[in-house]
Amino acid sequence: MAVAKYLLVGLALASCVFAAECSISGTTTITASADATALASCTTYSGSIAIQTGLSTPKDSNGHQQIQVDKLQKIDGNLTITDAQDLAQIAFGSLKEITGAFLLGFLSGLASVNIPALTTCKQINLTALPVLQALNFGNVGVTKAETILITNTGLSSLDGFNNLESVNTLDINNNQALQNITLMKVTAIKGSISIVDNNGLTTGLNVNFPLLQTAQNMTFRNCSDIKLPALANITDDLGFYGNDFENFAAPNLTTVRGLVFVGNPELTNISLPSLTSINGSYQIANNTKLNKIDGFQDLETVGGALDFSGNFTEVALPALTQVRGAFNIQTSSQFDCSPFTKLNSNKAIKGKFVCTGNQSKPGTADPSSTSTGGKASKTGAAIHFEANMPIILSAFSVVPTFLQFFL
């Protein structure tokens, strides 16, 4: 069925060899150098273009192939390049816009992507590109995209996205050489940000969103530094898991649904001085060097459970007036529970109350007791898993994403 959707290249290109604007119903598949040469006569192409297994362009002395298209400026459709194992270089010298998806996947030999004029693309998926170390999207780079997925590549930086102004969903995962993600101009992300398991080889991964003010959901794992100086609001959850940073500060953050710091072994300080409300659950657990939790001076309400466990000696929440879910503080150190016992006595804590020090095995809250109501209990208990969902799904979501363009 899939093969029937592709037209023979000679017929597909016949209508556009002599025209600056070319169109075709369906997908044109490039299999040889002549196909790319014919396509280069178009400046705007309405339809989708695919380069796949079976590419018969000449090979160099190393057995590598390349595709070069010089004049094409706009693709009103998708550009899909997958499974061409000997393809080493891709060059679209004048391409500025792809209205659909730009998909590069499962290209074990691809070492060079040169699209210096590209600024706009609806969807960008870069998947399983192990030897691709850099992108050449020119001095400006991509400024507009709805969805970006980059997974299992050899990239050391995302320099082609430095000037990105708008994006709805950003998923960067399992890029072992990636050392830096800096998005200088993004102020809002309507969907989710998931930056996980990019180890940056020996130096770690630095993340910097200097102008980002709002996002729906943010998940970070295995990062060595995270800078969010302008962040003011998260409509869903903000989670940090297994990172190596020593300090985290978001001086302008005022509201978030759920907040999680779990398993960050080097973390010594958290500073969220403007945070006034957490609408869901609030978890700090297993951060072995975090001795004091005192960076939440203005926090007044927690809408779900408050769940702290570790070896800390002090928790200071001077503005806290209400916890609508369970309250759990357990530490292996000596600990003064009196400020929180008073809150519980005043019925400011609605769920089960646990506060204790000198525990040999400090535990997290019992999920069944995160609040007094079933609805709130579900929200409080689920936060840890919800924040991790992008991590679990991202590695698999690319398969149906690619398949939908071939079936």
Side-chain angles (χ1 to χ4, degrees):
M1 293 295 292
V3 176
K5 290 190 178 182
Y6 297 114
L7 301 178
L8 293 174
V9 175
L11 294 175
L13 297 173
S15 64
C16 64
V17 170
F18 302 105
E21 294 187 6
C22 314
S23 64
I24 191 168
S25 176
T27 299
T28 294
T29 303
I30 293 178
T31 59
S33 298
D35 302 334
T37 301
L39 187 64
S41 64
C42 307
T43 56
T44 298
Y45 184 84
S46 297
S48 293
I49 298 170
I51 302 171
Q52 301 171 272
T53 303
L55 189 65
S56 60
T57 58
K59 296 182 179 181
D60 63 17
S61 59
N62 295 316
H64 297 153
Q65 298 169 303
Q66 66 177 11
I67 288 290
Q68 183 170 342
V69 178
D70 292 327
K71 294 182 180 180
L72 185 63
Q73 297 179 21
K74 179 180 179 180
I75 299 173
D76 194 2
N78 308 314
L79 175 59
T80 303
I81 307 174
T82 61
D83 296 304
Q85 300 304 318
D86 295 326
L87 184 62
Q89 298 181 44
I90 298 168
F92 285 78
S94 302
L95 185 60
K96 298 177 181 179
E97 180 180 1
I98 302 171
T99 64
F102 176 36
L103 309 178
L104 290 181
F106 311 101
L107 302 166
S108 60
L110 185 64
S112 174
V113 175
N114 184 25
I115 315 179
L118 185 66
T119 60
T120 303
C121 187
K122 183 177 181 180
Q123 177 182 347
I124 297 175
N125 282 15
L126 308 180
T127 302
L129 309 170
V131 300
L132 183 63
Q133 298 181 11
L135 298 166
N136 180 11
F137 288 160
N139 294 330
V140 176
V142 176
T143 59
K144 295 180 181 180
E146 291 185 10
T147 301
I148 296 175
L149 169 65
I150 301 175
T151 179
N152 288 300
T153 74
L155 293 172
S156 60
S157 73
L158 299 185
D159 288 344
F161 299 95
N162 285 352
N163 292 315
L164 189 68
E165 296 173 359
S166 64
V167 63
N168 291 345
T169 302
L170 182 67
D171 187 350
I172 314 294
N173 71 83
N174 290 286
N175 302 284
Q176 299 305 307
L178 191 59
Q179 299 176 18
N180 181 61
I181 299 175
T182 299
L183 301 183
M184 297 298 297
K185 296 184 178 181
V186 173
T187 59
I189 295 181
K190 296 178 181 178
S192 63
I193 300 174
S194 179
I195 299 177
V196 301
D197 298 334
N198 304 284
N199 292 331
L201 299 178
T202 59
T203 61
L205 174 66
N206 297 320
V207 179
N208 184 19
F209 297 159
L211 299 182
L212 182 66
Q213 298 177 24
T214 183
Q216 181 184 36
N217 185 83
M218 302 181 74
T219 302
F220 299 93
R221 185 191 295 270
N222 291 128
C223 299
S224 58
D225 189 37
I226 301 170
K227 290 184 171 63
L228 304 169
L231 187 65
N233 175 56
I234 300 292
T235 57
D236 208 327
D237 298 337
L238 175 61
F240 302 89
Y241 306 90
N243 298 286
D244 293 325
F245 51 62
E246 296 181 5
N247 302 284
F248 176 76
N252 293 298
L253 183 64
T254 59
T255 60
V256 62
R257 193 191 79 166
L259 181 62
V260 180
F261 290 86
V262 171
N264 303 286
E266 302 300 321
L267 183 62
T268 60
N269 181 62
I270 305 170
S271 179
L272 302 176
S274 300
L275 185 65
T276 58
S277 63
I278 297 173
N279 298 320
S281 293
Y282 178 23
Q283 184 181 31
I284 297 178
N286 195 29
N287 304 287
T288 53
K289 292 185 179 180
L290 186 62
N291 295 320
K292 292 184 179 182
I293 302 172
D294 59 357
F296 301 86
Q297 298 92 324
D298 288 347
L299 182 62
E300 298 175 359
T301 61
V302 177
L306 184 150
D307 185 10
F308 295 173
S309 59
N311 57 358
F312 46 83
T313 59
E314 179 182 339
V315 175
L317 299 170
L320 187 64
T321 59
Q322 187 176 58
V323 177
R324 298 192 183 102
F327 185 100
N328 178 73
I329 290 182
Q330 296 187 42
T331 176
S332 59
S333 302
Q334 186 173 350
F335 188 78
D336 179 14
C337 288
S338 58
F340 307 111
T341 302
K342 183 177 180 181
L343 273 178
N344 188 48
S345 299
N346 293 336
K347 298 184 179 180
I349 297 170
K350 305 304 181 182
K352 181 179 179 180
F353 178 80
V354 175
C355 184
T356 181
N358 297 317
Q359 296 296 298
S360 59
K361 295 181 179 181
T364 57
D366 178 0
S368 65
S369 64
T370 54
S371 78
T372 56
K375 183 176 180 181
S377 176
K378 183 177 180 181
T379 301
I383 178 174
H384 181 78
F385 300 101
E386 289 175 7
N388 276 288
M389 283 179 66
I391 302 170
I392 297 169
L393 296 177
S394 58
F396 300 96
S397 61
V398 66
V399 176
T401 299
F402 275 115
L403 287 177
Q404 67 178 316
F405 292 100
F406 299 116
L407 300 177

